[in-house]
Amino acid sequence: MHGKHIVVGVTGGIAAYKSPDLVRRVRERGAEVQVVMTGAAREFVTATTFQAVSGRPVRSDLWDAQAEAAMGHIELARWADAVIVAPASADFLARLAAGMADDLLTTLCLATAAPIAVAPAMNHVMWANAATRANVAVLAARGVQIYGPGEGDQACGESGEGRMLEPLDLAERLQLLLPGEGSLGGRRVLVTAGPTRERIDPVRFISNRSSGKMGFAVAQAAREAGANVVLVAGPVGLPTPAGVRRIDVESAADMLGAVLQELPGTDLFISTAAVADYRPARAAQQKIKKHDERLDLAMERTADVLATVAARSERPFVVGFAAETESVEQNARTKLLKKNLDMIAANEVGHDKAFDSEDNQLIVLTRGARHELGHAGKLTLARGLIALIAQEMAARSGARQRGSALA
Ligand code: CTP
């Protein structure tokens, strides 16, 4: 986080007593911190404390002419590389979700292009309230990172979900949120993961055994390498990797729609999802009753998401996965060529391999090269795969630059 500019917003909640420690943790990582307090926050911790730990005067008033003259709130919004609001009270989340600009912190959040993270902290019943749930859903859909809350004893004497995450945990997550300087720094990466569900009737569907773990690991590894990552996920119960924007979908058609919507500006597309190849030709409107001895389901082909992306004239670097039960490498090479991919990662599935397990074994093929990533945990393999992709992308853009220099 060296040299990065972080705005730490503090709103009114008892957890504000932990926020000076967050400021320290962020500064320890080399970042500059500007603290912005709401009026309510000042009821819990003094500005003097934050000034001491941040080394800068605290901002809290939109109408403070002297502070505005030094750095106006719009300048401050531009100055920020990231904004983290910890604790974020129920009131603050509501104001942020409504797009209000009624104090310095909300105005700044509205005016900044930097990523925003919030660490909610409140009584567990307030957190569970439908109004708070709806506000959090709106914020998450807009790309605001929701860190926590955790579960445990609360200041009100009750116990439940609503505790602010610990400052060290928040600082680590924040680090992942910043546009990175890793091998994929500044790149936009789109990943698909998990199975899809194809409806038979309102209560039944056809799906497959994909757990989504490999795809989530790939999204995490890309994020760690500094990329801006969007993860389009089929129905899986996995937590979203820190700093990754997730879009949940159900069917192959939904997945294609989400991918095409997110595609503009994407530098790298990684298709790990086990997309259904066929779906019921007609989903019944009502539950199918068991009238007959036999039921035949007519099926039709779904769109191939990966091949659709790879066939575009303006396309990103495209990486596919091949899940095979036999002739793994040969089938993968055929898919690499047939789907016009830049790279394919092949793994053997079935016979208790790969699906839902914590580890995997990958062979990575490009048109000119072959790499064995061996047998390892899915995150280790994902990091190895991302390193190979970054190398290949760098080599290609180097070759392109040399080509244009010659021309
Ligand atoms: N894929 C996709 N859309 C589909 C089917 C597959 O995007 N409708 C992608 C997968 O995400 C994977 C790659 O295509 O990256 C290969 O998937 P796989 O299931 O191994 O192969 P298929 O193309 O479905 O071919 P087959 O089932 O005949 O092996």
Side-chain angles (χ1 to χ4, degrees):
M1 289 168 100
H2 197 78
K4 297 285 188 210
H5 296 162
I6 309 297
V7 167
V8 174
V10 185
T11 74
I14 187 64
Y17 82 90
K18 293 186 191 171
S19 306
D21 192 30
L22 171 63
V23 173
R24 280 188 43 226
R25 302 284 181 187
V26 174
R27 288 194 73 201
E28 264 167 26
R29 287 170 164 70
E32 283 181 52
V33 174
Q34 172 65 59
V35 175
V36 176
M37 299 175 81
T38 62
R42 302 177 82 115
E43 300 291 327
F44 291 89
V45 189
T46 67
T48 318
T49 307
F50 284 112
Q51 176 161 340
V53 290
S54 69
R56 284 169 168 260
V58 168
R59 297 286 302 267
S60 67
D61 190 356
L62 193 51
W63 310 112
D64 179 339
Q66 210 181 342
E68 281 288 311
M71 182 170 1
H73 59 276
I74 299 293
E75 270 174 89
L76 187 53
R78 287 198 201 113
W79 175 87
D81 292 307
V83 178
I84 180 163
V85 182
S89 64
D91 174 72
F92 175 77
L93 296 175
R95 289 187 293 126
L96 190 62
M100 290 174 72
D102 56 348
D103 64 8
L104 179 61
L105 188 55
T106 46
T107 305
L108 195 123
C109 288
L110 211 54
T112 191
I116 300 175
V118 296
M122 65 196 74
N123 164 272
H124 67 104
V125 184
M126 289 170 82
W127 174 249
N129 189 292
T132 309
R133 313 294 328 139
N135 290 331
V136 169
V138 164
L139 293 173
R142 286 187 198 142
V144 173
Q145 301 294 312
I146 316 289
Y147 295 164
E151 255 189 87
D153 292 339
Q154 298 207 288
C156 53
E158 294 174 18
S159 175
E161 208 180 356
R163 282 171 62 92
M164 186 172 94
L165 296 185
E166 293 305 319
L168 183 58
D169 188 357
L170 292 175
E172 281 170 358
R173 289 170 187 241
L174 185 64
Q175 191 158 359
L176 288 176
L177 184 64
L178 287 167
E181 286 141 18
S183 57
L184 289 182
R187 304 278 198 171
R188 184 179 146 92
V189 178
L190 184 58
V191 181
T192 64
T196 63
R197 281 182 185 169
E198 309 302 325
R199 276 180 55 168
I200 298 172
D201 69 16
V203 294
R204 303 182 179 98
F205 55 80
I206 291 177
S207 191
N208 59 63
R209 289 185 55 198
S210 166
S211 66
K213 285 179 187 162
M214 192 67 221
F216 275 56
V218 165
Q220 178 176 338
R223 184 71 199 104
E224 287 172 359
N228 179 348
V229 183
V230 179
L231 173 62
V232 177
V236 291
L238 298 173
T240 311
V244 167
R245 181 157 69 87
R246 171 174 175 177
I247 301 170
D248 285 319
V249 296
E250 197 159 304
S251 66
D254 296 342
M255 188 168 274
L256 179 66
V259 163
L260 293 183
Q261 184 155 355
E262 291 295 326
L263 200 59
T266 294
D267 300 299
L268 165 62
F269 177 63
I270 310 176
S271 182
T272 75
V275 188
D277 291 328
Y278 293 90
R279 66 168 166 236
R282 301 185 113 209
Q285 291 304 311
Q286 306 299 337
K287 187 181 167 204
I288 299 173
K289 292 291 185 189
K290 54 173 184 300
H291 293 303
D292 304 318
E293 278 310 305
R294 226 183 114 100
L295 174 72
D296 292 321
L297 270 181
M299 306 277 278
E300 64 183 16
R301 283 280 287 272
T302 56
D304 189 311
V305 181
L306 176 62
T308 307
V309 172
R312 296 218 147 185
S313 53
E314 287 268 308
R315 54 169 259 183
F317 189 92
V318 179
V319 181
F321 267 68
E324 308 293 344
T325 55
E326 57 180 349
S327 312
V328 178
E329 196 165 332
Q330 197 183 325
N331 284 336
R333 190 163 291 285
T334 307
K335 278 178 194 167
L336 174 77
L337 301 176
K338 202 168 134 202
K339 297 200 189 190
N340 190 28
L341 311 179
D342 297 299
M343 186 182 273
I344 195 158
N347 61 338
E348 195 174 339
V349 294
H351 322 296
D352 288 330
K353 284 203 174 125
F355 282 135
D356 211 25
S357 75
E358 296 305 324
D359 46 34
N360 202 355
Q361 185 157 7
L362 287 184
I363 298 172
V364 181
L365 306 172
T366 60
R367 277 161 208 243
R370 173 185 189 282
H371 307 269
E372 277 197 31
L373 290 183
H375 189 258
K378 286 183 174 171
L379 187 56
T380 306
L381 287 176
R383 287 176 177 146
L385 176 65
I386 290 295
L388 282 177
I389 295 172
Q391 263 173 31
E392 187 71 22
M393 287 175 77
R396 290 194 190 186
S397 70
R400 258 200 310 276
Q401 272 162 15
R402 283 192 295 281
S404 58
L406 283 175

